[in-house]
Amino acid sequence: MRTPLIAGNWKMNGSFEDTNVLLASIEDGLERRAEAAEGKARKVDVLVCPPFVYLETAARAIEDSDIALGAQSVSAEKPGAFTGEICSHMLKDLTCSYVIVGHSERRQLYGETDTTVGKKFKAAAEAGLKPILCVGESLEEREAGKAIDVIKRQIDAVMDIACEKCFENAVIAYEPVWAIGTGETATPEQAQEIHAEIRQMIAARSGKIAKKIRILYGGSVKPANAADIFAMEDIDGGLIGGASLKAEDFLAIIDAA
Ligand code: PGA
């Protein structure tokens, strides 16, 4: 049985105050949820990924809770002359346990290639972080019937660079680019179809990892659509952008898992 993971990707949003207020509300909501369920609620792993500069504030805010901390990107390099970059061991210093790699915004706006993403994934996993590898097709690619090919290329590139062991604690997030921040969501069936394919791709290398790896769906997940999406067999939670910035919405999405 895979424990669902609900991850909030805050992107480039927030302030010191917002970070503290949002996390206090999430913590509070989770406590109330646990009390109300009297130990009977399904276990859900909760993760927040604030911008780098708020990681330390967030780490302090959640230190007495079960909420995990992650970053939104990481350098593929070890410490050295890489102006403006942040490496895995710095994220570990900040008590991060997860890091998002290959988000479509990094690929599209900052020129990250499959190879860059593979190197980042490997560096993060080898440092003991749990990488969340984002994959997904654009609208054009979907319409051309190439969604699976694109995702396979993205996953194969990482598998060629990182060893099988690097996938042991990894997470994959399927995020169709056309659904991110657009209000458009893949239907639960569309998402399930891709998730099952992704699990097959992993199974081709390791059946054991394929069974246990969590595959999240991301792209306009909201309280109103979360339960239907998470009900699908191969969907193990969500990577939540916009809705993770509102405690009430994020908590409702956690409940839906
Ligand atoms: P969204 O973003 O939920 O705002 O669509 C998801 C993501 O980009 O991770």
Side-chain angles (χ1 to χ4, degrees):
M1 223 11 210
R2 297 179 292 267
T3 305
L5 171 65
I6 302 298
N9 174 11
W10 293 9
K11 308 193 180 184
M12 198 173 73
N13 290 294
S15 63
F16 284 116
E17 193 186 341
D18 291 345
T19 300
N20 281 317
V21 170
L22 179 55
L23 290 173
S25 308
I26 295 171
E27 246 185 90
D28 201 47
L30 289 176
E31 263 165 40
R32 271 187 283 124
R33 172 183 182 270
E35 273 166 29
E38 296 173 341
K40 285 186 219 114
R42 181 177 184 198
K43 184 176 177 342
V44 176
D45 289 340
V46 177
L47 165 69
V48 290
C49 302
F52 286 130
V53 287
Y54 302 127
L55 285 171
E56 191 174 357
T57 306
R60 274 204 213 101
I62 60 178
E63 71 188 341
D64 296 325
S65 79
D66 290 331
I67 303 171
L69 187 65
Q72 299 172 16
S73 185
V74 66
S75 165
E77 305 297 337
K78 300 225 157 56
F82 301 100
T83 303
E85 291 292 289
I86 309 275
C87 64
S88 298
H89 100 95
M90 296 171 182
L91 298 182
K92 292 202 72 186
D93 263 355
L94 286 161
T95 70
C96 286
S97 44
Y98 290 84
V99 62
I100 299 170
V101 294
H103 190 280
S104 63
E105 285 151 18
R106 304 279 335 153
R107 294 179 193 256
Q108 289 191 325
L109 306 172
Y110 299 97
E112 289 192 11
T113 62
D114 289 336
T115 307
T116 322
V117 174
K119 287 183 181 162
K120 289 183 171 207
F121 181 98
K122 179 172 189 267
E126 286 181 353
L129 291 164
K130 297 174 187 158
I132 302 178
L133 169 64
C134 299
V135 296
E137 81 286 1
S138 66
L139 185 58
E140 251 180 14
E141 290 162 339
R142 171 159 283 261
E143 285 174 346
K146 290 193 188 135
I148 299 289
D149 293 347
V150 169
I151 293 162
K152 186 162 186 327
R153 189 202 72 218
Q154 291 170 334
I155 290 183
D156 281 348
V158 177
M159 285 188 150
D160 288 346
I161 292 170
C163 60
E164 195 176 302
K165 207 172 172 323
C166 290
F167 278 82
E168 267 173 10
N169 291 312
V171 175
I172 294 180
Y174 168 55
E175 298 205 303
V177 179
W178 48 273
I180 296 178
T182 58
E184 294 263 345
T185 334
T187 63
E189 293 73 23
Q190 274 174 329
Q192 166 59 28
E193 189 190 336
I194 302 274
H195 281 232
E197 291 276 357
I198 293 175
R199 210 175 289 289
Q200 280 304 317
M201 291 173 203
I202 308 286
R205 308 269 177 128
S206 163
K208 197 173 123 228
I209 294 175
K211 264 198 206 115
K212 79 167 217 193
I213 199 164
R214 290 184 287 193
I215 308 176
L216 313 183
Y217 171 78
S220 299
V221 178
K222 303 180 270 283
N225 59 24
D228 289 343
I229 295 172
F230 301 156
M232 306 310 283
E233 190 184 338
D234 288 293
I235 302 185
D236 308 309
L239 182 55
I240 320 298
S244 73
L245 297 170
K246 284 190 217 122
E248 205 183 309
D249 287 359
F250 193 55
L251 287 162
I253 291 170
I254 295 167
D255 275 337

